[in-house]
Amino acid sequence: MDLIITALELGLTSSITVLALFISYSMLNVCDLSTDGCFTLGAVVGAMIALSGHPYLSIPASMLAGSISGFITGLLQTKCGINSLLSGIVVNTGLYSINIAILGNKSLINLNNVNTVFSKMKTLLNGTVLESQYKLILVIAILSLLVFLISNLLKTRLGLAIRATGNNLDMVKSSSINPVFTTISGLCISNSLTALSGCLLAQMNKSANVNMGAGMVTVALASLLIGNVIFNKSRKTTLRIIGAVLGSFIFRLVYTIALRFKVPAFMLNLISSIIVILSLSIPFFINKRKNSNLKKKRKEQC
Amino acid sequence: MLKLKNVRKTFNKNSQDIQIALNDITLNVKKGDFVSIIGSNGAGKSSLFNAICGSFEIDEGSIILDNTNITFMPEHKRAKLIGRLFQDPLRGTAPEMSILENLYLACSSHDSWLHRITEKEKRFIKEKVAMLGMGLENRMNQAVGLLSGGQRQALTLAMAIIITPKILLLDEHTAALDPPTAEKIMNLTNKIVKENELTCLMITHNMNYAIDYGNRLLMMHEGQIILDLDENQKKETSASSIINEFKNIIASDRILTTLR
Ligand SMILES: Nc1ncnc2c1ncn2[C@@H]1O[C@H](COP(=O)(O)OP(=O)(O)OP(=O)(O)O)[C@@H](O)[C@H]1O
Ligand SMILES: [Mg+2]
């Protein structure tokens, strides 16, 4: 049971990053490689502000930091002629230094005995039956709000324009929408979510370090792709968003069980790489099979 | 309505494979004109449209649309004034989005970013789709990617005119369709242009379309307009006489260059 709870807590917290990738990767069709650095950015900004005694402020502050990072990534790929993968990588590298600078030239910070959003939640729930699950409750509350907001956002004109930008750039331009604007706003939104995810994880684990985001983009992508399997054919955006969250939970669950079977913790990144590779390549090979079968048939007919 | 003055565009200026796409084009299109444009491959027809739409900046000259100088206006802003269809029927619509969402984006330029599609807008869009006469109005929530090329081209046409454009540009918009579908889209286009009294430029490789539709005919060659027939002249010509004329012009062109 504890196992599942831990998987839920971790899975749901990192599922916020999966939501971010849902916007950038699935909607905007940009593979945002600044995710790792941005996740850490949210963690260190949130941790420093919580440390200074403002746990609530840590949430908007980390989101703001994340959206600035997203803004820069977006600006590089739309206005500076830098390829979208490269702009993510460049920002990611730059963020590494920035994150250390924010931590005050350290690579690790401890939040023991510091008021965090989670400890605030604990005192809030003090004496009620829910007290022991304060972490989970806070994460679920935030996540539900986000799922609600994002699924509504994607139905607005901005959301539709962001989706169209990832779908058909020509169509966006001929609909008099500036694709620079939609790309940058999409990346601002998604990176603010990534940073929020990092901020919450740091406060949940009571520590932040400059490497905590390493491999996050692959982990989140793996979760996203698992989610796609669950709600594959569904065109309902809300269901796809929920699928992304579920994917993240399933990924963590599998991983937690693997840990139980003495798979060392450092294998997480390898596992997620393999999941991403498989879920992207299997459809590719299936397609190829289908095509070659068709070809064979045509040859036979000849 | 549309005035081009001494428009020039050269690609790869500083290299060996220099390409003169538009060579001093001056053109004056009146309101309500339906102009068909013909010419061989590489004549500069698509470049002419790209210049009007702002897909690239022209090197010289000016473009005036309905008394507005649009020479330096960015592409997405011009799109408000111009409706455009491409040869590729997949190019005008977003495949993973529904018919409703595609058409909404085409007519939403005055809405705020946080606006959501209202019932009234839904009805308005449904009406517009019904006008295409293809039964698509019953499939408003289906992804456009599931439709055929002809259906997608018809939708693109609906998107191009849902906010009445100052000018409609059609770049071989039936060329990728099978003949019956092409015929259907061409009739639909003609009907829509007539009903809405649109000003329209149409590039086509189909001589019969060029002669049957529209009230003016342009022929382009090597970045220039080499033939300009008005309504009466056009009525008197046939496909073969135009082809002959074309051959003559090219031949005299060759003679000129050899003389030079
Ligand atoms: N982006 C570009 N870069 C370089 N050269 C270009 C570009 N666009 C057009 N050209 C050149 O300009 C000339 C005119 O091309 P354009 O596409 O306008 O021809 P077209 O009349 O539309 O021909 P088609 O009937 O084949 O569509 C061609 O020589 C082409 O190679
Ligand atoms: Mg062309």
Side-chain angles (χ1 to χ4, degrees):
Chain A
M1 192 59 204
D2 270 359
L3 212 71
I4 296 182
I5 299 279
T6 318
L8 262 179
E9 284 170 1
L10 284 174
L12 296 185
T13 309
S14 45
S15 76
I16 300 176
T17 306
V18 184
L19 291 182
L21 256 74
F22 178 76
I23 294 177
S24 60
Y25 184 79
S26 304
M27 297 285 106
L28 207 51
N29 203 9
V30 169
C31 192
D32 182 4
L33 293 181
S34 70
T35 302
D36 292 6
C38 187
F39 186 86
T40 314
L41 177 70
V44 299
V45 168
M48 289 312 276
I49 294 201
L51 196 67
S52 70
H54 304 286
Y56 292 125
L57 187 65
S58 69
I59 287 184
S62 62
M63 289 178 80
L64 181 69
S67 60
I68 294 174
S69 154
F71 181 80
I72 294 171
T73 313
L75 208 61
L76 291 183
Q77 54 184 270
T78 50
K79 283 285 179 191
C80 307
I82 300 177
N83 160 299
S84 75
L85 290 177
L86 192 58
S87 23
I89 294 172
V90 169
V91 168
N92 194 45
T93 310
L95 281 176
Y96 188 80
S97 313
I98 292 180
N99 290 337
I100 293 180
I102 293 175
L103 286 182
N105 202 7
K106 278 189 292 192
S107 61
L108 180 86
I109 193 168
N110 235 309
L111 296 178
N112 288 327
N113 308 322
V114 173
N115 261 338
T116 64
V117 279
F118 289 100
S119 68
K120 286 278 181 192
M121 191 70 189
K122 195 176 181 184
T123 32
L124 198 72
L125 292 174
N126 206 352
T128 63
V129 273
L130 300 171
E131 189 186 348
S132 59
Q133 295 309 333
Y134 64 98
K135 285 186 192 169
L136 198 54
I137 288 172
L138 181 61
V139 173
I140 289 178
I142 293 180
L143 200 57
S144 324
L145 182 68
L146 288 178
V147 170
F148 174 78
L149 286 179
I150 294 172
S151 64
N152 275 296
L153 177 80
L154 288 174
K155 287 180 196 142
T156 63
R157 175 164 179 251
L158 177 63
L160 292 177
I162 287 176
R163 281 175 64 194
T165 307
N167 226 222
N168 185 345
L169 208 59
D170 284 323
M171 177 268 196
V172 169
K173 282 188 210 156
S174 48
S175 301
S176 350
I177 296 165
N178 187 353
V180 173
F181 174 76
T182 51
T183 305
I184 291 182
S185 22
L187 285 175
C188 282
I189 295 169
S190 78
N191 279 283
S192 70
L193 292 174
T194 307
L196 172 63
S197 177
C199 168
L200 290 178
L201 193 71
Q203 298 193 26
M204 184 185 266
N205 292 341
K206 298 200 159 138
S207 78
N209 73 69
V210 288
N211 292 317
M212 65 187 286
M216 202 58 208
V217 68
T218 320
V219 173
L221 206 52
S223 310
L224 187 66
L225 295 171
I226 295 174
N228 278 354
V229 174
I230 305 174
F231 286 118
N232 184 18
K233 288 282 179 303
S234 162
R235 287 213 330 105
K236 279 250 174 350
T237 324
T238 315
L239 280 185
R240 287 178 69 185
I241 294 173
I242 293 173
V245 174
L246 282 182
S248 178
F249 167 62
I250 292 173
F251 178 82
R252 278 293 159 169
L253 193 63
V254 170
Y255 171 65
T256 322
I257 292 170
L259 281 186
R260 259 297 150 89
F261 286 103
K262 299 262 159 19
V263 176
F266 60 77
M267 295 302 273
L268 171 73
N269 286 4
L270 180 61
I271 296 174
S272 47
S273 295
I274 292 174
I275 293 180
V276 171
I277 293 171
L278 289 182
S279 42
L280 290 180
S281 61
I282 288 175
F284 175 76
F285 284 119
I286 291 177
N287 249 336
K288 215 170 159 185
R289 253 313 262 295
K290 262 191 213 151
N291 284 346
S292 69
N293 281 349
L294 271 180
K295 236 185 230 164
K296 237 187 249 162
K297 253 189 212 156
R298 250 188 278 151
K299 266 185 197 156
E300 279 163 17
Q301 279 167 356
C302 281
Chain B
M1 180 53 95
L2 175 72
K3 279 187 192 141
L4 274 76
K5 225 175 131 193
N6 304 102
V7 172
R8 281 177 193 275
K9 177 73 191 180
T10 310
F11 288 107
N12 310 329
K13 249 182 230 162
N14 302 319
S15 76
Q16 285 160 343
D17 60 337
I18 184 164
Q19 296 279 355
I20 302 177
L22 297 175
N23 187 1
D24 198 18
I25 298 265
T26 296
L27 177 65
N28 198 342
V29 180
K30 287 202 291 289
K31 195 173 158 76
D33 269 356
F34 185 162
V35 185
S36 24
I37 302 173
I38 53 175
S40 50
N41 294 115
K45 306 180 296 295
S46 300
S47 300
L48 177 68
F49 281 11
N50 284 334
I52 298 172
C53 291
S55 309
F56 53 63
E57 269 185 25
I58 54 176
D59 302 334
E60 269 175 58
S62 64
I63 304 172
I64 291 162
L65 182 59
D66 198 24
N67 298 325
T68 317
N69 189 335
I70 60 167
T71 315
F72 300 105
M73 199 188 266
E75 187 176 10
H76 67 271
K77 284 199 179 142
R78 291 190 209 191
K80 269 185 202 169
L81 313 170
I82 302 170
R84 187 179 194 187
L85 262 70
F86 296 99
Q87 174 173 356
D88 180 358
L90 310 186
R91 211 168 147 182
T93 44
E96 282 170 30
M97 298 173 73
S98 69
I99 297 182
L100 177 70
E101 290 165 340
N102 269 282
L103 271 114
Y104 169 70
L105 281 181
C107 68
S108 66
S109 59
H110 294 293
D111 291 343
S112 84
W113 284 112
L114 294 181
H115 180 88
R116 290 177 58 166
I117 306 176
T118 61
E119 284 302 318
K120 200 177 145 208
E121 285 161 344
K122 251 185 217 171
R123 275 197 302 274
F124 169 74
I125 290 170
K126 205 168 168 176
E127 243 168 59
K128 293 277 169 185
V129 175
M131 270 181 16
L132 299 174
M134 291 185 149
L136 293 175
E137 63 277 13
N138 303 318
R139 303 165 69 177
M140 296 297 284
N141 292 316
Q142 251 180 38
V144 166
L146 303 172
L147 304 178
S148 72
Q151 288 168 327
R152 284 182 75 169
Q153 200 65 310
L155 277 183
T156 314
L157 187 60
M159 288 168 68
I161 59 142
I162 193 161
I163 293 181
T164 311
K166 303 273 183 213
I167 194 161
L168 179 65
L169 304 179
L170 309 168
D171 191 346
E172 296 182 50
H173 70 304
T174 62
L177 308 173
D178 61 70
T181 316
E183 197 69 32
K184 216 168 163 186
I185 296 289
M186 197 54 236
N187 284 329
L188 186 65
T189 309
N190 197 38
K191 183 177 142 231
I192 286 177
V193 170
K194 287 243 166 76
E195 275 173 8
N196 298 284
E197 295 171 353
L198 297 172
T199 311
C200 174
L201 304 187
M202 175 176 80
I203 296 175
T204 180
H205 277 293
N206 186 325
M207 285 292 169
N208 296 323
Y209 286 171
I211 292 172
D212 293 347
Y213 298 98
N215 61 352
R216 187 172 167 190
L217 193 146
L218 300 179
M219 191 193 292
M220 288 189 68
H221 183 60
E222 295 185 342
Q224 288 180 314
I225 296 172
I226 53 168
L227 187 71
D228 185 349
L229 302 181
D230 67 18
E231 193 156 17
N232 295 328
Q233 291 169 309
K234 194 166 156 258
K235 270 184 194 143
E236 285 158 19
T237 47
S238 65
S240 54
S241 71
I242 288 181
I243 292 172
N244 275 335
E245 183 118 14
F246 182 58
K247 279 181 186 152
N248 287 339
I249 289 170
I250 292 180
S252 61
D253 196 48
R254 288 230 182 82
I255 295 164
L256 269 180
T257 33
T258 34
L259 280 181
R260 251 182 247 146

